[in-house]
Amino acid sequence: MRNETLAIHAGYEPDPTTHAVAVPIYQTASYAFDSADHGAALFNLETEGYRYSRIANPTTSVLEKRVAELEGGVGALAVASGQAALHFAFVNLADHGGNIVSVPQLYGTTHTLLSHILPRQGITGRFATGDQPDDVARLIDENTRAVFCETIGNPAGNVCDIEAIAEVAHRAGVPLIVDNTVATPILLRPIDYGADVVVHSLTKFLGGHGTTLGGAIVDSGRFDWAKQPERFPAFNQPDHSYHGMIYAERFGATAYVERARSIYQRTMGSVLSPFNAFLLLQGIETVALRMERHVENARKVAEFLRDDPRVAWVNFTGFPDSPYYPLVQKYLDGRASSLFTFGIKGGMEAGKAFYDSLKLITRLVNIGDAKSLACHPASTTHRQMSAEQQRQAGVLPETIRLSIGIEHIADIIEDLDQALAQASGSQPRLAAAE
Ligand SMILES: Cc1ncc(COP(=O)(O)O)c(C=O)c1O
Protein backbone atom coordinates (compact mmCIF):
# COMPACT_ATOMS: atom_id res chain seq x y z
CA MET A 1 0.00 0.00 0.00
CA ARG A 2 0.98 3.62 -0.49
CA ASN A 3 2.18 5.86 2.35
CA GLU A 4 -1.14 7.80 2.50
CA THR A 5 -2.86 4.51 3.38
CA LEU A 6 -0.11 3.11 5.60
CA ALA A 7 -0.21 6.32 7.67
CA ILE A 8 -3.80 5.46 8.62
CA HIS A 9 -3.79 1.66 8.81
CA ALA A 10 -0.30 0.16 9.19
CA GLY A 11 0.40 -1.85 12.33
CA TYR A 12 -3.17 -2.22 13.59
CA GLU A 13 -6.20 -4.47 13.05
CA PRO A 14 -9.34 -3.81 15.14
CA ASP A 15 -8.67 -5.25 18.59
CA PRO A 16 -9.82 -8.94 18.61
CA THR A 17 -11.47 -8.80 22.05
CA THR A 18 -13.20 -5.41 21.98
CA HIS A 19 -13.20 -4.75 18.20
CA ALA A 20 -12.04 -1.19 19.00
CA VAL A 21 -11.34 0.65 15.77
CA ALA A 22 -9.09 3.30 17.31
CA VAL A 23 -5.78 2.03 18.70
CA PRO A 24 -6.38 1.32 22.42
CA ILE A 25 -4.16 3.01 24.99
CA TYR A 26 -2.60 0.19 27.02
CA GLN A 27 -1.80 2.22 30.11
CA THR A 28 0.01 -0.55 31.97
CA ALA A 29 3.50 -0.95 33.37
CA SER A 30 3.58 -4.75 33.23
CA TYR A 31 1.90 -7.90 31.88
CA ALA A 32 0.82 -11.10 33.66
CA PHE A 33 2.70 -14.35 32.99
CA ASP A 34 0.75 -17.60 32.47
CA SER A 35 3.40 -19.49 34.47
CA ALA A 36 7.03 -19.36 35.59
CA ASP A 37 8.04 -21.02 32.31
CA HIS A 38 6.09 -18.46 30.28
CA GLY A 39 7.86 -15.61 32.14
CA ALA A 40 11.25 -17.26 31.54
CA ALA A 41 10.51 -17.75 27.83
CA LEU A 42 9.57 -14.06 27.51
CA PHE A 43 12.80 -13.01 29.24
CA ASN A 44 14.83 -15.29 26.97
CA LEU A 45 13.10 -13.74 23.92
CA GLU A 46 11.99 -17.29 22.98
CA THR A 47 8.33 -16.38 22.78
CA GLU A 48 6.63 -13.20 21.55
CA GLY A 49 4.75 -11.11 24.07
CA TYR A 50 5.00 -8.27 26.50
CA ARG A 51 6.63 -8.29 29.93
CA TYR A 52 7.27 -4.70 31.02
CA SER A 53 6.44 -1.40 29.30
CA ARG A 54 10.01 -0.10 29.51
CA ILE A 55 10.84 -2.68 26.85
CA ALA A 56 7.64 -2.81 24.78
CA ASN A 57 3.98 -1.83 25.01
CA PRO A 58 1.10 -2.77 22.66
CA THR A 59 0.11 0.86 21.88
CA THR A 60 3.71 1.83 21.24
CA SER A 61 4.18 -1.31 19.12
CA VAL A 62 1.51 -0.05 16.70
CA LEU A 63 3.40 3.23 16.37
CA GLU A 64 6.68 1.34 15.81
CA LYS A 65 5.15 -0.84 13.09
CA ARG A 66 3.51 2.15 11.41
CA VAL A 67 6.69 4.25 11.29
CA ALA A 68 8.72 1.22 10.12
CA GLU A 69 6.26 0.54 7.28
CA LEU A 70 6.13 4.19 6.25
CA GLU A 71 9.92 4.22 5.96
CA GLY A 72 10.14 0.79 4.30
CA GLY A 73 12.12 -0.68 7.22
CA VAL A 74 11.96 -4.07 8.92
CA GLY A 75 11.41 -2.77 12.45
CA ALA A 76 11.44 0.30 14.67
CA LEU A 77 11.98 1.35 18.26
CA ALA A 78 9.94 4.28 19.59
CA VAL A 79 11.50 6.33 22.40
CA ALA A 80 10.75 9.42 24.47
CA SER A 81 12.18 12.07 22.10
CA GLY A 82 14.12 12.58 18.91
CA GLN A 83 17.27 13.21 20.95
CA ALA A 84 16.88 9.89 22.77
CA ALA A 85 16.51 8.19 19.38
CA LEU A 86 19.71 9.83 18.09
CA HIS A 87 21.63 8.95 21.26
CA PHE A 88 20.61 5.29 21.06
CA ALA A 89 21.23 5.18 17.30
CA PHE A 90 24.86 6.30 17.80
CA VAL A 91 25.80 4.32 20.91
CA ASN A 92 24.24 1.18 19.45
CA LEU A 93 27.16 1.27 16.99
CA ALA A 94 30.03 3.15 18.58
CA ASP A 95 31.82 2.31 21.81
CA HIS A 96 34.82 4.02 23.41
CA GLY A 97 37.37 4.74 20.64
CA GLY A 98 34.79 4.77 17.84
CA ASN A 99 33.85 7.79 15.76
CA ILE A 100 30.78 9.00 13.86
CA VAL A 101 31.42 11.01 10.69
CA SER A 102 28.82 13.71 10.06
CA VAL A 103 28.03 16.51 7.64
CA PRO A 104 28.27 19.92 9.41
CA GLN A 105 24.68 21.14 8.88
CA LEU A 106 22.80 19.62 11.81
CA TYR A 107 20.12 20.46 14.33
CA GLY A 108 21.98 22.26 17.15
CA THR A 109 21.41 19.70 19.93
CA THR A 110 22.53 16.82 17.70
CA HIS A 111 25.67 18.81 16.98
CA THR A 112 26.18 19.22 20.74
CA LEU A 113 25.62 15.47 21.31
CA LEU A 114 28.32 14.61 18.77
CA SER A 115 30.77 17.39 19.58
CA HIS A 116 30.53 17.61 23.40
CA ILE A 117 28.52 14.83 25.06
CA LEU A 118 29.55 11.60 23.30
CA PRO A 119 33.27 12.59 23.35
CA ARG A 120 33.09 12.42 27.17
CA GLN A 121 32.32 8.72 26.69
CA GLY A 122 35.19 8.29 24.22
CA ILE A 123 33.03 8.49 21.07
CA THR A 124 34.13 11.22 18.69
CA GLY A 125 31.89 13.18 16.33
CA ARG A 126 33.93 14.09 13.24
CA PHE A 127 32.48 16.95 11.23
CA ALA A 128 33.17 17.24 7.52
CA THR A 129 33.82 20.74 6.18
CA GLY A 130 30.91 20.37 3.73
CA ASP A 131 28.18 17.96 2.71
CA GLN A 132 29.78 16.67 -0.50
CA PRO A 133 30.47 12.91 -0.57
CA ASP A 134 34.25 13.57 -0.78
CA ASP A 135 34.15 15.78 2.34
CA VAL A 136 32.65 12.83 4.21
CA ALA A 137 34.88 10.15 2.65
CA ARG A 138 38.04 11.96 3.80
CA LEU A 139 37.12 11.54 7.49
CA ILE A 140 36.27 7.82 7.53
CA ASP A 141 38.89 5.53 9.07
CA GLU A 142 39.05 2.07 10.68
CA ASN A 143 37.41 3.41 13.87
CA THR A 144 34.41 4.91 12.09
CA ARG A 145 31.17 3.21 13.07
CA ALA A 146 28.66 5.22 11.06
CA VAL A 147 28.16 8.18 8.74
CA PHE A 148 25.40 10.62 9.68
CA CYS A 149 23.37 13.34 8.00
CA GLU A 150 19.92 14.93 8.10
CA THR A 151 18.01 14.35 4.87
CA ILE A 152 16.88 17.99 5.09
CA GLY A 153 19.06 19.92 7.53
CA ASN A 154 17.54 21.99 10.32
CA PRO A 155 17.70 24.99 10.02
CA ALA A 156 19.59 25.41 6.73
CA GLY A 157 17.11 23.33 4.70
CA ASN A 158 20.08 21.74 2.86
CA VAL A 159 19.31 18.45 1.13
CA CYS A 160 21.81 15.62 1.49
CA ASP A 161 22.85 13.56 -1.51
CA ILE A 162 21.86 10.40 0.34
CA GLU A 163 22.58 7.98 -2.49
CA ALA A 164 26.13 9.29 -2.95
CA ILE A 165 26.82 9.50 0.79
CA ALA A 166 25.45 5.96 1.32
CA GLU A 167 27.82 4.75 -1.36
CA VAL A 168 30.79 6.41 0.35
CA ALA A 169 29.80 4.85 3.70
CA HIS A 170 29.22 1.39 2.24
CA ARG A 171 32.50 1.45 0.33
CA ALA A 172 34.21 1.91 3.71
CA GLY A 173 32.08 -0.83 5.32
CA VAL A 174 30.00 1.42 7.60
CA PRO A 175 26.25 2.15 7.73
CA LEU A 176 24.58 5.46 6.93
CA ILE A 177 22.27 6.83 9.64
CA VAL A 178 19.96 9.63 8.52
CA ASP A 179 17.65 11.91 10.47
CA ASN A 180 14.50 12.17 8.31
CA THR A 181 12.53 14.42 10.68
CA VAL A 182 12.06 17.39 8.35
CA ALA A 183 11.28 15.45 5.16
CA THR A 184 9.11 12.73 6.75
CA PRO A 185 8.58 9.55 4.71
CA ILE A 186 5.86 11.43 2.81
CA LEU A 187 8.43 13.57 1.01
CA LEU A 188 11.34 11.12 1.03
CA ARG A 189 12.11 7.52 2.04
CA PRO A 190 15.89 7.42 2.62
CA ILE A 191 16.04 3.60 2.74
CA ASP A 192 15.07 3.60 -0.96
CA TYR A 193 18.35 5.45 -1.59
CA GLY A 194 20.64 3.30 0.56
CA ALA A 195 20.26 4.61 4.14
CA ASP A 196 20.66 1.82 6.72
CA VAL A 197 19.07 3.44 9.75
CA VAL A 198 16.48 6.23 9.81
CA VAL A 199 15.93 8.36 12.91
CA HIS A 200 12.95 10.61 13.62
CA SER A 201 11.88 13.26 16.00
CA LEU A 202 8.17 12.32 15.95
CA THR A 203 7.60 15.59 17.82
CA LYS A 204 7.66 17.47 14.51
CA PHE A 205 5.74 16.85 11.25
CA LEU A 206 4.82 13.21 11.95
CA GLY A 207 3.04 14.05 15.23
CA GLY A 208 2.24 17.36 13.60
CA HIS A 209 0.45 19.37 16.28
CA GLY A 210 3.17 20.49 18.68
CA THR A 211 1.66 18.55 21.58
CA THR A 212 3.86 15.51 22.09
CA LEU A 213 7.53 14.58 22.22
CA GLY A 214 8.65 11.29 20.73
CA GLY A 215 11.38 9.69 18.66
CA ALA A 216 11.95 6.59 16.58
CA ILE A 217 14.78 4.51 15.14
CA VAL A 218 13.94 2.53 11.99
CA ASP A 219 16.10 -0.39 10.90
CA SER A 220 16.32 -0.97 7.13
CA GLY A 221 17.44 -4.56 7.76
CA ARG A 222 19.94 -4.17 4.92
CA PHE A 223 23.27 -3.78 6.71
CA ASP A 224 25.10 -7.09 7.12
CA TRP A 225 26.63 -6.86 10.60
CA ALA A 226 28.00 -10.40 10.40
CA LYS A 227 30.22 -9.37 7.48
CA GLN A 228 32.11 -6.93 9.70
CA PRO A 229 32.90 -8.87 12.91
CA GLU A 230 35.88 -6.70 13.83
CA ARG A 231 34.26 -3.33 13.24
CA PHE A 232 30.99 -4.36 14.93
CA PRO A 233 31.89 -6.88 17.69
CA ALA A 234 28.75 -5.96 19.67
CA PHE A 235 26.61 -7.64 16.99
CA ASN A 236 28.88 -10.62 16.48
CA GLN A 237 30.16 -11.64 19.92
CA PRO A 238 28.18 -13.10 22.85
CA ASP A 239 26.53 -10.36 24.93
CA HIS A 240 27.09 -11.25 28.57
CA SER A 241 24.50 -8.71 29.69
CA TYR A 242 21.93 -10.77 27.79
CA HIS A 243 22.55 -14.50 28.34
CA GLY A 244 25.44 -14.58 25.88
CA MET A 245 23.16 -13.72 22.95
CA ILE A 246 24.79 -12.95 19.58
CA TYR A 247 22.52 -10.34 18.00
CA ALA A 248 23.44 -10.87 14.34
CA GLU A 249 22.78 -14.63 14.72
CA ARG A 250 19.65 -14.37 16.85
CA PHE A 251 17.88 -11.52 14.97
CA GLY A 252 19.40 -11.38 11.47
CA ALA A 253 17.86 -8.45 9.61
CA THR A 254 16.45 -6.81 12.76
CA ALA A 255 19.66 -7.15 14.84
CA TYR A 256 20.25 -3.38 14.99
CA VAL A 257 16.83 -2.35 16.28
CA GLU A 258 16.48 -5.35 18.60
CA ARG A 259 19.86 -4.61 20.18
CA ALA A 260 18.84 -0.96 20.65
CA ARG A 261 15.74 -2.18 22.48
CA SER A 262 17.35 -5.00 24.48
CA ILE A 263 20.37 -2.99 25.59
CA TYR A 264 19.66 0.74 25.53
CA GLN A 265 15.91 0.96 25.97
CA ARG A 266 16.00 -1.77 28.64
CA THR A 267 18.85 -0.29 30.71
CA MET A 268 18.56 3.46 30.04
CA GLY A 269 14.81 3.65 29.71
CA SER A 270 13.96 6.67 27.55
CA VAL A 271 10.42 5.35 27.32
CA LEU A 272 7.59 6.86 25.28
CA SER A 273 4.34 6.76 27.27
CA PRO A 274 1.46 4.79 25.67
CA PHE A 275 -0.66 7.95 25.75
CA ASN A 276 1.98 9.84 23.78
CA ALA A 277 2.21 6.93 21.33
CA PHE A 278 -1.56 7.25 20.84
CA LEU A 279 -1.34 11.02 20.23
CA LEU A 280 1.50 10.53 17.75
CA LEU A 281 -0.55 7.87 15.91
CA GLN A 282 -3.43 10.35 15.65
CA GLY A 283 -1.07 12.88 14.11
CA ILE A 284 0.45 10.42 11.67
CA GLU A 285 -3.00 9.60 10.24
CA THR A 286 -3.09 13.03 8.55
CA VAL A 287 0.60 13.58 7.80
CA ALA A 288 0.27 13.08 4.03
CA LEU A 289 -2.42 15.75 3.71
CA ARG A 290 -0.65 18.13 6.04
CA MET A 291 2.69 17.82 4.23
CA GLU A 292 1.02 18.73 0.94
CA ARG A 293 -0.33 21.97 2.46
CA HIS A 294 2.90 22.72 4.39
CA VAL A 295 4.91 22.49 1.17
CA GLU A 296 2.45 24.54 -0.90
CA ASN A 297 2.19 27.31 1.73
CA ALA A 298 5.97 27.45 2.23
CA ARG A 299 6.60 27.97 -1.48
CA LYS A 300 4.11 30.87 -1.57
CA VAL A 301 5.69 32.48 1.50
CA ALA A 302 9.21 32.06 0.05
CA GLU A 303 8.05 33.71 -3.19
CA PHE A 304 6.48 36.61 -1.28
CA LEU A 305 9.71 37.20 0.69
CA ARG A 306 11.95 36.85 -2.40
CA ASP A 307 9.99 39.60 -4.14
CA ASP A 308 10.04 41.92 -1.12
CA PRO A 309 12.49 44.87 -1.17
CA ARG A 310 12.72 44.79 2.65
CA VAL A 311 14.19 41.27 2.59
CA ALA A 312 17.96 40.78 2.07
CA TRP A 313 17.99 37.09 1.17
CA VAL A 314 15.81 33.96 1.13
CA ASN A 315 17.38 30.51 1.37
CA PHE A 316 14.66 28.32 -0.14
CA THR A 317 15.90 25.16 -1.83
CA GLY A 318 12.86 25.07 -4.14
CA PHE A 319 14.21 28.07 -6.13
CA PRO A 320 16.28 27.18 -9.21
CA ASP A 321 19.19 29.36 -8.00
CA SER A 322 19.63 27.24 -4.84
CA PRO A 323 22.62 24.87 -4.99
CA TYR A 324 20.29 22.21 -3.58
CA TYR A 325 17.66 22.62 -6.32
CA PRO A 326 18.81 19.54 -8.32
CA LEU A 327 18.68 17.40 -5.14
CA VAL A 328 15.18 18.74 -4.36
CA GLN A 329 14.13 17.49 -7.81
CA LYS A 330 15.88 14.13 -7.41
CA TYR A 331 14.90 13.23 -3.84
CA LEU A 332 11.82 15.31 -3.06
CA ASP A 333 10.04 15.54 -6.40
CA GLY A 334 10.41 19.33 -6.27
CA ARG A 335 8.80 19.61 -2.80
CA ALA A 336 11.22 21.71 -0.75
CA SER A 337 9.62 21.03 2.69
CA SER A 338 8.18 23.83 4.80
CA LEU A 339 11.39 24.78 6.56
CA PHE A 340 13.59 27.60 5.27
CA THR A 341 15.57 30.59 6.42
CA PHE A 342 15.72 34.23 5.41
CA GLY A 343 17.31 37.49 6.55
CA ILE A 344 15.85 40.99 6.45
CA LYS A 345 17.73 44.15 5.51
CA GLY A 346 19.07 46.05 8.51
CA GLY A 347 20.90 43.10 10.14
CA MET A 348 20.42 41.85 13.68
CA GLU A 349 18.43 44.86 14.99
CA ALA A 350 15.91 44.87 12.13
CA GLY A 351 15.67 41.07 12.43
CA LYS A 352 14.81 41.34 16.12
CA ALA A 353 12.22 44.09 15.47
CA PHE A 354 10.62 41.91 12.78
CA TYR A 355 10.62 38.87 15.06
CA ASP A 356 9.03 40.80 17.94
CA SER A 357 6.29 42.18 15.63
CA LEU A 358 4.90 38.80 14.53
CA LYS A 359 1.30 38.29 15.62
CA LEU A 360 0.02 35.05 14.03
CA ILE A 361 3.34 33.28 13.57
CA THR A 362 4.54 32.00 16.93
CA ARG A 363 8.03 32.84 18.30
CA LEU A 364 9.47 29.59 19.63
CA VAL A 365 11.93 26.76 19.10
CA ASN A 366 9.99 24.04 17.35
CA ILE A 367 9.22 22.99 13.81
CA GLY A 368 6.59 20.85 12.14
CA ASP A 369 3.51 22.09 13.97
CA ALA A 370 0.25 22.72 12.06
CA LYS A 371 0.87 26.34 13.20
CA SER A 372 3.39 28.60 11.47
CA LEU A 373 6.46 29.08 13.64
CA ALA A 374 9.50 31.36 13.65
CA CYS A 375 12.82 30.96 15.43
CA HIS A 376 16.04 32.98 15.72
CA PRO A 377 18.60 30.12 15.70
CA ALA A 378 21.70 32.17 16.63
CA SER A 379 20.22 33.10 20.01
CA THR A 380 18.44 29.80 20.72
CA THR A 381 18.87 26.38 19.03
CA HIS A 382 22.40 27.05 17.78
CA ARG A 383 23.73 29.31 20.54
CA GLN A 384 26.11 26.60 21.91
CA MET A 385 28.10 26.71 18.65
CA SER A 386 31.00 28.99 17.77
CA ALA A 387 30.36 31.67 15.11
CA GLU A 388 32.25 29.51 12.58
CA GLN A 389 30.23 26.39 13.45
CA GLN A 390 27.04 28.46 13.13
CA ARG A 391 28.12 29.66 9.72
CA GLN A 392 28.82 26.07 8.62
CA ALA A 393 25.40 25.05 9.91
CA GLY A 394 23.83 27.84 7.81
CA VAL A 395 23.11 30.24 10.70
CA LEU A 396 23.95 33.97 10.41
CA PRO A 397 23.24 36.57 13.14
CA GLU A 398 20.16 37.85 11.26
CA THR A 399 18.83 34.43 10.18
CA ILE A 400 15.16 33.77 10.86
CA ARG A 401 13.99 30.18 10.43
CA LEU A 402 10.37 29.66 9.40
CA SER A 403 8.37 26.46 9.70
CA ILE A 404 5.31 27.26 7.64
CA GLY A 405 2.05 25.79 8.91
CA ILE A 406 -1.24 24.88 7.29
CA GLU A 407 -3.23 28.06 8.04
CA HIS A 408 -4.79 30.06 5.19
CA ILE A 409 -1.89 31.38 3.10
CA ALA A 410 -3.26 34.94 3.03
CA ASP A 411 -3.20 35.16 6.84
CA ILE A 412 0.41 33.95 7.02
CA ILE A 413 1.58 36.43 4.39
CA GLU A 414 -0.34 39.33 5.95
CA ASP A 415 1.40 38.67 9.26
CA LEU A 416 4.85 38.63 7.63
CA ASP A 417 4.00 41.79 5.72
CA GLN A 418 2.92 43.76 8.80
CA ALA A 419 5.99 42.59 10.77
CA LEU A 420 8.31 43.63 7.91
CA ALA A 421 6.55 47.00 7.87
CA GLN A 422 7.08 47.43 11.63
CA ALA A 423 10.76 46.53 11.35
CA SER A 424 11.48 48.80 8.40
CA GLY A 425 9.21 51.74 9.34
CA SER A 426 7.26 51.34 6.07
CA GLN A 427 3.63 50.69 5.14
CA PRO A 428 2.52 47.05 4.75
CA ARG A 429 3.12 46.10 1.12
CA LEU A 430 -0.24 44.37 0.71
CA ALA A 431 -2.22 47.36 2.04
CA ALA A 432 -0.30 49.60 -0.38
CA ALA A 433 -1.19 47.34 -3.30
CA GLU A 434 -4.94 47.33 -2.51
C1 LIG B 1 16.12 17.44 12.71
C2 LIG B 1 15.87 17.22 14.18
N1 LIG B 1 16.27 16.08 14.75
C3 LIG B 1 16.06 15.84 16.06
C4 LIG B 1 15.45 16.77 16.88
C5 LIG B 1 15.26 16.48 18.33
O1 LIG B 1 13.96 16.05 18.54
P1 LIG B 1 13.21 16.11 19.96
O2 LIG B 1 12.96 17.55 20.26
O3 LIG B 1 11.98 15.30 19.74
O4 LIG B 1 14.14 15.50 20.96
C6 LIG B 1 15.01 17.97 16.31
C7 LIG B 1 14.35 18.99 17.16
O5 LIG B 1 14.11 20.09 16.72
C8 LIG B 1 15.22 18.20 14.93
O6 LIG B 1 14.82 19.32 14.34
Side-chain angles (χ1 to χ4, degrees):
M1 282 184 283
R2 284 92 180 153
N3 267 1
E4 289 82 347
T5 314
L6 293 175
I8 297 168
H9 294 282
Y12 185 66
E13 297 280 340
D15 179 66
T17 41
T18 62
H19 298 260
V21 173
V23 178
I25 302 171
Y26 288 91
Q27 192 69 32
T28 182
S30 54
Y31 306 83
F33 304 140
D34 297 338
S35 63
D37 284 346
H38 178 225
L42 284 167
F43 268 77
N44 278 342
L45 307 180
E46 286 160 8
T47 188
E48 286 209 5
Y50 297 95
R51 54 191 209 267
Y52 193 61
S53 281
R54 176 157 28 78
I55 292 129
N57 169 282
T59 311
T60 309
S61 294
V62 178
L63 176 66
E64 289 168 343
K65 286 182 192 144
R66 192 161 298 176
V67 175
E69 283 206 44
L70 283 167
E71 286 289 7
V74 293
L77 171 68
V79 292
S81 68
Q83 279 317 123
L86 285 156
H87 180 213
F88 286 1
F90 295 141
V91 296
N92 200 25
L93 293 177
D95 282 317
H96 197 279
N99 69 66
I100 309 283
V101 172
S102 173
V103 302
Q105 306 98 326
L106 296 184
Y107 168 59
T109 309
T110 309
H111 196 286
T112 306
L113 177 66
L114 285 170
S115 58
H116 292 288
I117 310 304
L118 290 180
R120 290 181 202 157
Q121 296 163 24
I123 300 166
T124 316
R126 291 186 168 185
F127 292 96
T129 48
D131 59 2
Q132 296 304 304
D134 284 349
D135 300 329
V136 170
R138 267 195 289 280
L139 296 187
I140 302 177
D141 65 12
E142 71 282 5
N143 293 321
T144 301
R145 298 293 175 260
V147 170
F148 177 68
C149 66
E150 293 174 2
T151 49
I152 299 181
N154 175 10
N158 56 293
V159 180
C160 261
D161 192 349
I162 307 157
E163 203 164 37
I165 293 184
E167 205 186 304
V168 160
H170 294 160
R171 220 183 299 135
V174 295
L176 172 65
I177 306 177
V178 300
D179 180 332
N180 198 32
T181 298
V182 176
T184 80
I186 301 304
L187 298 188
L188 168 64
R189 298 196 340 158
I191 291 173
D192 296 345
Y193 294 98
D196 300 286
V197 173
V198 178
V199 179
H200 275 285
S201 166
L202 303 173
T203 317
K204 316 297 176 185
F205 295 94
L206 279 167
H209 298 81
T211 59
T212 310
L213 274 101
I217 304 173
V218 181
D219 188 343
S220 72
R222 301 238 184 102
F223 198 86
D224 189 354
W225 308 102
K227 231 173 136 184
Q228 307 263 351
E230 274 158 29
R231 204 185 280 263
F232 298 107
F235 290 88
N236 291 291
Q237 288 176 10
D239 180 349
H240 298 297
S241 76
Y242 219 106
H243 324 303
M245 187 154 63
I246 299 176
Y247 287 93
E249 273 179 15
R250 169 71 180 76
F251 293 106
T254 58
Y256 178 83
V257 71
E258 290 308 333
R259 184 171 185 272
R261 184 188 303 281
S262 306
I263 299 297
Y264 295 102
Q265 182 74 326
R266 180 172 63 101
T267 64
M268 295 185 177
S270 298
V271 182
L272 183 71
S273 81
F275 183 62
N276 282 0
F278 170 82
L279 289 174
L280 292 166
L281 280 163
Q282 291 295 292
I284 289 174
E285 289 197 3
T286 57
V287 65
L289 271 181
R290 284 186 285 105
M291 288 311 286
E292 227 173 80
R293 179 70 168 256
H294 277 298
V295 165
E296 184 189 315
N297 275 358
R299 172 169 288 279
K300 288 180 181 158
V301 170
E303 284 167 358
F304 169 80
L305 293 172
R306 181 188 57 187
D307 298 341
D308 196 299
R310 300 162 295 187
V311 171
W313 54 269
V314 180
N315 174 23
F316 180 66
T317 56
F319 292 154
D321 61 357
S322 164
Y324 293 104
Y325 184 78
L327 296 176
V328 171
Q329 308 314 306
K330 171 171 177 176
Y331 291 112
L332 299 160
D333 202 14
R335 301 165 299 175
S337 93
S338 79
L339 190 72
F340 66 94
T341 53
F342 77 102
I344 86 167
K345 288 181 183 159
M348 184 83 156
E349 283 314 305
K352 277 172 68 181
F354 163 82
Y355 194 54
D356 288 346
S357 305
L358 291 169
K359 290 183 178 151
L360 172 71
I361 300 175
T362 315
R363 284 177 290 276
L364 48 48
V365 287
N366 196 15
I367 57 171
D369 196 318
K371 305 166 199 71
S372 290
L373 316 171
C375 156
H376 181 234
S379 64
T380 54
T381 49
H382 289 65
R383 69 174 298 136
Q384 312 299 341
M385 293 184 184
S386 67
E388 176 52 21
Q389 285 170 336
Q390 287 187 356
R391 197 192 54 73
Q392 282 190 1
V395 172
L396 301 175
E398 75 272 21
T399 297
I400 302 278
R401 179 193 68 193
L402 293 176
S403 171
I404 297 299
I406 61 174
E407 301 96 337
H408 194 291
I409 185 63
D411 292 321
I412 301 172
I413 288 182
E414 276 169 27
D415 192 35
L416 290 165
D417 187 30
Q418 68 77 27
L420 283 167
Q422 293 282 337
S424 62
S426 62
Q427 285 299 307
R429 198 175 122 204
L430 296 175
E434 273 162 14

